[in-house]
Amino acid sequence: MFNVKSMDEVFQILKDNFSGISSENETVGILECVNRITSFDIASPEDIPGFNRSSVDGYAVISSDTFGAGDSIPAQLELAGEVKMGIKPPFVLKNGQTAYVPTGGELPDNADAMVMVEYTEDFNDGYVYINKPVAPGSNVVFKGDDMKAESTVIKAHRRLRPQDAGAFAAIGASRVNVKRKIKVGIISTGDEVVKIDSKTTGSQVRDINTYSLCAGILEYGAEPRIYGIVGDEYEKIKELTGKAVDKCDVVLISGGSSVGSRDQTRKVISSFGAPGVLVHGIAVKPGKPTIIGKVKGKAIFGLPGHPVSAYIVYKIFVCYLLDVINRLADEPAKTVRAVAAGSYPSNNGRDEFVPVILKSADKSPSAFPLFGKSGLITLLAQADGYIHIKRSSEGLCAGEEVEVFPF
Amino acid sequence: MFNVKSMDEVFQILKDNFSGISSENETVGILECVNRITSFDIASPEDIPGFNRSSVDGYAVISSDTFGAGDSIPAQLELAGEVKMGIKPPFVLKNGQTAYVPTGGELPDNADAMVMVEYTEDFNDGYVYINKPVAPGSNVVFKGDDMKAESTVIKAHRRLRPQDAGAFAAIGASRVNVKRKIKVGIISTGDEVVKIDSKTTGSQVRDINTYSLCAGILEYGAEPRIYGIVGDEYEKIKELTGKAVDKCDVVLISGGSSVGSRDQTRKVISSFGAPGVLVHGIAVKPGKPTIIGKVKGKAIFGLPGHPVSAYIVYKIFVCYLLDVINRLADEPAKTVRAVAAGSYPSNNGRDEFVPVILKSADKSPSAFPLFGKSGLITLLAQADGYIHIKRSSEGLCAGEEVEVFPF
């Protein structure tokens, strides 16, 4: 039977065996960068901004000229000029002078602060009257305040977000170096499994796992490769697995991971030689019969055939593996705070993942555990997320605060 | 000056004016369905599963034949046959009979429960001995248990996830009807703004907003259209806005939304006639000078020019508008629980959005508020998310539990 390992043991095995098995890079346009992962630290080639920039509409001053100014005794400063947007001021500010600068405009040399237009008066007599003192640096973004030349803007091994495209635009980088997408091969096994456009007869079922896994891999930002459906025949599974291992970084084989007579995945993995099978059985529910192996340096998962089990093992373990290969930093989990709307006993010594529906309620949303036979794909289509019940826990109590991991 | 409105007032104005301004649909392959939004309820054309399916390897029985069975007095049942995967059993079970069925196989007619192989013994004498009684329905997924013919599998106006592709595969739907992506035009204004591949001179800055907004719109699942950069000239902004309004559902104009002399967006929106400007000024920080208008039934946003302000207004208000147009149900926010690592005063009567860095700590991660001048794009590139400080609050206290909205 199984030699069952805990979740944490499996995570450690994945780290020990597959860190850095793919390290190729490529460049993409910055509008394609979101959800890609940086390969290297990305530095700014120049100071940003490249000039002292006003963050208000108002008057540039040498701040010491305004010290002591107030409503009753304004500082009277000579108007030296008006700065135009996008153009370097053609004059230098001297003590006793001021100049109008719009938001985003450059301060003339020597100026070290901006006074908002609200605190000034201009009677068109060649002078501007300042009603409020300003400290050095007020309302100014100095040259290099945003990024210093050569400083790191975005670190390596980080998943890029839309605002990062903005940071690249700021430094004039229209393309960016990212990791090559991890290639994940998908094989569906089972004599009963047929293509999704088939009319089913007898006890045939359509190939669900290829599609939920493929869509999941696309969402992660990896590259799925579909190898199709193969019956429960050792030689055919072995042949297809060999092909997938040659072309992919990770191979997922769904079905055939239990210990029944039809269960060939373990045998196929072993047939490629050492190290072969690393894990057979994980103390989780669903997902216990999961197999993890290493063939020609690549990672192979034998996933359960049940669609719910296969997808949950994908979310928990395969996504963890992809993060390991991409060297992604551990990120805090994004969860929804909710209150358990029902009790759910769980004392089977396994980490359990319970699909839940979220419904809005007074303060926190309510999380309704979905009870259901694990072969039901509608369980996942209905669920908004899942709750992780730790193996040391006895389950959920209605009214308890829970963290829901959104699907 | 501004006639400032609260966040909630602005949300209501967006709902009242723009619900249902786009209602076209299209079909996509199920591997392209993730992050798209369903147009209609999607129903199963048939019962799923289409047969009574075993969820274990074991023996099909008429459950009443096992009542009273135990280790000392097993139920002795005649072995009527072995069911093959994917094939309808060619026999009917009679009382006193049993048949081997693998996981996923079909139960013979009359059988109503499965006994796991672990609780049986087969001495190859033509009989199988059952050591444990089973209740009707045990270890069986009955025909239609997952989906009844005609029942709704996925509801309308719902953002699709990878497992939903699996649900479509189950019902043999290789394509699915979804809403046409909302078209969002992007215009960048400002005499100082230059293309991102330009070498900047004087106080020019590169066009950051087009890229962060465009990437954000792609991430949301809408269709960005870039209209480029235009200087602070009323006629040119008007011409480009007119073009964008004709082709898009929503138009974002960044820069020029304040009340300074260069600020043309309000004038442009008004020039197209009633209803024109709906909002000028929102009680939020950053983002106060935001304009919202309605031109030819389309939504126009005048976003602040500062990249941080523009992007935060995009996340809070433009994404809300896109949800309204798509009729997406309110979903509970996905947040990260954290502990404020520093205090942050905020008593300006506005809802404030404070970018934070998350660092792993003992129990909850720590959220470090990023103090910085609002023109700094690196503020957003560094931030892992933001905290929403409500206008009624006085700010954050170090040590307080907070919810971080991840970027």
Side-chain angles (χ1 to χ4, degrees):
Chain A
M1 287 289 291
F2 303 136
N3 172 15
V4 172
K5 293 204 160 56
S6 72
M7 272 182 79
D8 286 340
E9 286 172 317
V10 172
F11 288 153
Q12 193 59 47
I13 288 168
L14 291 172
K15 261 192 200 163
D16 291 346
N17 280 278
F18 302 110
S19 295
I21 63 171
S22 154
S23 59
E24 291 166 43
N25 304 313
E26 62 189 21
T27 63
V28 294
I30 59 171
L31 287 180
E32 287 83 54
C33 80
V34 173
N35 215 23
R36 299 301 297 266
I37 295 156
T38 50
S39 335
F40 307 109
D41 287 353
I42 294 165
S44 176
E46 59 194 67
D47 283 337
I48 302 286
F51 58 95
N52 297 336
R53 185 172 70 202
S54 172
S55 44
V56 296
D57 288 338
Y59 289 89
V61 295
I62 296 165
S63 56
S64 56
D65 284 350
T66 69
F67 294 169
D71 280 333
S72 46
I73 318 166
Q76 181 190 17
L77 299 178
E78 185 196 348
L79 184 59
E82 178 174 341
V83 171
K84 300 278 180 212
M85 285 307 290
I87 291 164
K88 187 161 182 62
F91 55 89
V92 172
L93 213 64
K94 294 182 197 131
N95 271 95
Q97 289 187 329
T98 188
Y100 180 81
V101 183
T103 306
E106 178 169 1
L107 272 67
D109 282 355
N110 283 349
D112 68 349
M114 286 292 301
V115 182
M116 285 172 80
V117 71
E118 288 88 329
Y119 302 115
T120 66
E121 283 182 282
D122 180 359
F123 299 114
N124 286 316
D125 61 355
Y127 292 92
V128 174
Y129 298 84
I130 309 288
N131 299 326
K132 206 182 163 185
V134 287
S138 288
N139 303 316
V140 180
V141 178
F142 289 105
K143 184 172 192 285
D145 260 0
D146 204 344
M147 310 174 199
K148 294 258 176 275
E150 313 295 323
S151 68
T152 297
V153 180
I154 309 267
K155 289 194 176 146
H157 320 307
R158 185 167 156 173
R159 193 181 284 274
L160 293 168
R161 304 155 306 164
Q163 67 264 43
D164 299 325
F168 296 135
I171 62 173
S174 58
R175 296 186 69 77
V176 57
N177 198 298
V178 295
K179 303 192 188 209
R180 194 238 312 138
K181 288 184 182 178
I182 297 172
K183 291 177 194 147
V184 185
I186 303 171
I187 298 171
S188 238
T189 74
D191 288 335
E192 76 282 21
V193 181
V194 297
K195 290 192 174 172
I196 63 164
D197 47 10
S198 307
K199 186 85 201 138
T200 56
T201 58
S203 60
Q204 292 176 333
V205 293
R206 296 191 186 91
D207 177 19
I208 296 171
N209 288 333
T210 291
Y211 292 87
S212 53
L213 294 172
C214 188
I217 290 157
L218 286 169
E219 182 194 46
Y220 177 92
E223 182 185 320
R225 298 199 169 191
I226 296 178
Y227 285 85
I229 305 164
V230 61
D232 295 307
E233 290 166 72
Y234 172 79
E235 283 302 334
K236 287 196 177 161
I237 300 175
K238 179 165 176 171
E239 186 195 334
L240 209 56
T241 303
K243 276 188 190 168
V245 164
D246 284 343
K247 297 282 186 195
C248 302
D249 307 296
V250 175
V251 178
L252 309 182
I253 305 172
S254 73
S257 67
S258 191
V259 289
S261 56
R262 301 183 304 115
D263 299 325
Q264 313 281 13
T265 306
R266 187 192 167 101
K267 234 173 97 188
V268 165
I269 293 174
S270 301
S271 74
F272 288 97
V277 172
L278 305 171
V279 174
H280 191 184
I282 308 180
V284 292
K285 185 180 175 189
K288 186 178 172 196
T290 300
I291 299 171
I292 302 173
K294 188 172 186 175
V295 170
K296 299 182 185 176
K298 313 295 181 72
I300 302 194
F301 272 82
L303 301 176
H306 279 186
V308 173
S309 310
Y311 192 70
I312 287 186
V313 172
Y314 164 75
K315 288 293 277 186
I316 308 292
F317 295 101
V318 179
C319 288
Y320 181 90
L321 170 67
L322 298 177
D323 285 354
V324 162
I325 298 173
N326 279 319
R327 299 177 58 190
L328 264 186
D330 283 349
E331 287 180 358
K334 298 166 182 71
T335 57
V336 176
R337 288 174 198 224
V339 172
S343 295
Y344 190 98
S346 169
N347 50 7
N348 46 35
R350 299 195 252 163
D351 280 83
E352 185 160 358
F353 305 98
V354 181
V356 295
I357 288 181
L358 288 170
K359 287 191 180 154
S360 295
D362 247 9
K363 288 184 79 176
S364 295
S366 301
F368 290 80
L370 283 168
F371 295 87
K373 301 169 177 174
S374 79
L376 307 190
I377 181 70
T378 43
L379 211 62
L380 287 187
Q382 282 167 42
D384 296 305
Y386 62 88
I387 293 172
H388 178 183
I389 302 178
K390 299 242 163 79
R391 66 194 296 201
S392 54
S393 154
E394 304 246 308
L396 286 182
C397 284
E400 188 182 338
E401 199 181 62
V402 290
E403 288 196 72
V404 177
F405 295 80
F407 272 131
Chain B
M1 287 291 289
F2 303 135
N3 171 15
V4 171
K5 294 202 160 58
S6 74
M7 273 182 76
D8 286 340
E9 286 173 317
V10 172
F11 287 153
Q12 192 59 48
I13 288 168
L14 291 171
K15 261 192 200 163
D16 291 345
N17 280 277
F18 303 110
S19 293
I21 64 172
S22 155
S23 59
E24 290 166 46
N25 304 314
E26 63 191 19
T27 62
V28 294
I30 59 171
L31 287 179
E32 287 82 53
C33 82
V34 174
N35 216 22
R36 298 302 297 267
I37 295 156
T38 48
S39 334
F40 308 110
D41 286 354
I42 294 165
S44 176
E46 59 194 68
D47 283 337
I48 302 287
F51 58 95
N52 297 337
R53 187 171 68 202
S54 171
S55 43
V56 296
D57 288 338
Y59 289 89
V61 295
I62 296 166
S63 55
S64 57
D65 284 349
T66 69
F67 295 168
D71 279 334
S72 46
I73 319 167
Q76 180 189 16
L77 299 178
E78 184 197 347
L79 184 58
E82 180 173 342
V83 172
K84 300 277 179 211
M85 284 307 291
I87 291 165
K88 188 161 180 65
F91 55 90
V92 173
L93 212 65
K94 294 182 197 134
N95 271 96
Q97 289 187 326
T98 187
Y100 182 80
V101 183
T103 305
E106 179 169 0
L107 273 66
D109 282 354
N110 283 350
D112 69 348
M114 286 293 300
V115 181
M116 286 173 78
V117 72
E118 288 89 328
Y119 302 115
T120 66
E121 282 181 282
D122 180 359
F123 299 113
N124 288 316
D125 60 356
Y127 292 90
V128 174
Y129 299 84
I130 309 287
N131 299 326
K132 205 182 164 184
V134 287
S138 288
N139 303 317
V140 180
V141 178
F142 289 105
K143 184 171 193 284
D145 260 1
D146 206 343
M147 310 174 200
K148 293 257 176 277
E150 313 294 324
S151 68
T152 297
V153 180
I154 309 267
K155 290 195 176 146
H157 320 307
R158 183 164 159 178
R159 193 182 285 275
L160 293 168
R161 304 155 306 164
Q163 67 263 44
D164 299 325
F168 296 136
I171 62 172
S174 57
R175 297 185 68 77
V176 55
N177 198 298
V178 296
K179 304 193 188 210
R180 195 239 309 138
K181 287 185 182 177
I182 297 171
K183 291 177 192 147
V184 185
I186 304 171
I187 299 171
S188 238
T189 75
D191 289 335
E192 76 282 20
V193 180
V194 297
K195 291 192 173 169
I196 63 163
D197 47 9
S198 307
K199 186 86 200 139
T200 57
T201 60
S203 59
Q204 293 176 334
V205 292
R206 296 191 186 92
D207 177 19
I208 296 170
N209 288 334
T210 290
Y211 291 87
S212 52
L213 293 173
C214 188
I217 290 158
L218 286 168
E219 184 195 44
Y220 177 91
E223 181 185 321
R225 298 199 168 191
I226 297 178
Y227 284 85
I229 304 163
V230 60
D232 295 307
E233 290 167 71
Y234 172 78
E235 283 303 334
K236 288 196 177 160
I237 300 175
K238 179 167 175 170
E239 187 195 333
L240 210 55
T241 304
K243 275 188 192 168
V245 164
D246 284 344
K247 297 281 185 195
C248 302
D249 306 297
V250 175
V251 178
L252 310 181
I253 306 172
S254 74
S257 67
S258 191
V259 290
S261 55
R262 300 183 305 116
D263 298 326
Q264 312 281 12
T265 305
R266 187 194 166 99
K267 236 173 95 188
V268 165
I269 293 175
S270 301
S271 75
F272 287 98
V277 173
L278 304 171
V279 174
H280 192 183
I282 308 180
V284 292
K285 183 180 177 185
K288 188 179 172 195
T290 300
I291 300 172
I292 301 172
K294 187 172 187 176
V295 170
K296 300 181 185 175
K298 312 296 180 75
I300 301 194
F301 272 82
L303 301 176
H306 280 184
V308 174
S309 310
Y311 191 70
I312 286 185
V313 172
Y314 163 76
K315 288 294 277 185
I316 308 292
F317 295 101
V318 179
C319 288
Y320 181 90
L321 170 68
L322 298 177
D323 284 354
V324 162
I325 297 174
N326 280 320
R327 299 178 58 191
L328 264 186
D330 284 349
E331 287 179 357
K334 298 167 182 70
T335 58
V336 176
R337 290 173 197 223
V339 172
S343 296
Y344 191 98
S346 169
N347 51 5
N348 47 37
R350 299 195 252 162
D351 279 84
E352 186 160 356
F353 305 98
V354 181
V356 295
I357 288 180
L358 288 171
K359 286 189 181 155
S360 294
D362 247 10
K363 286 185 77 176
S364 297
S366 301
F368 290 80
L370 284 168
F371 296 86
K373 301 168 178 175
S374 79
L376 306 190
I377 181 71
T378 42
L379 212 61
L380 287 187
Q382 282 167 42
D384 296 305
Y386 62 87
I387 293 170
H388 177 183
I389 302 178
K390 298 243 161 77
R391 66 193 298 199
S392 54
S393 155
E394 305 244 308
L396 286 182
C397 285
E400 188 184 338
E401 199 182 62
V402 290
E403 288 196 73
V404 177
F405 296 80
F407 272 131

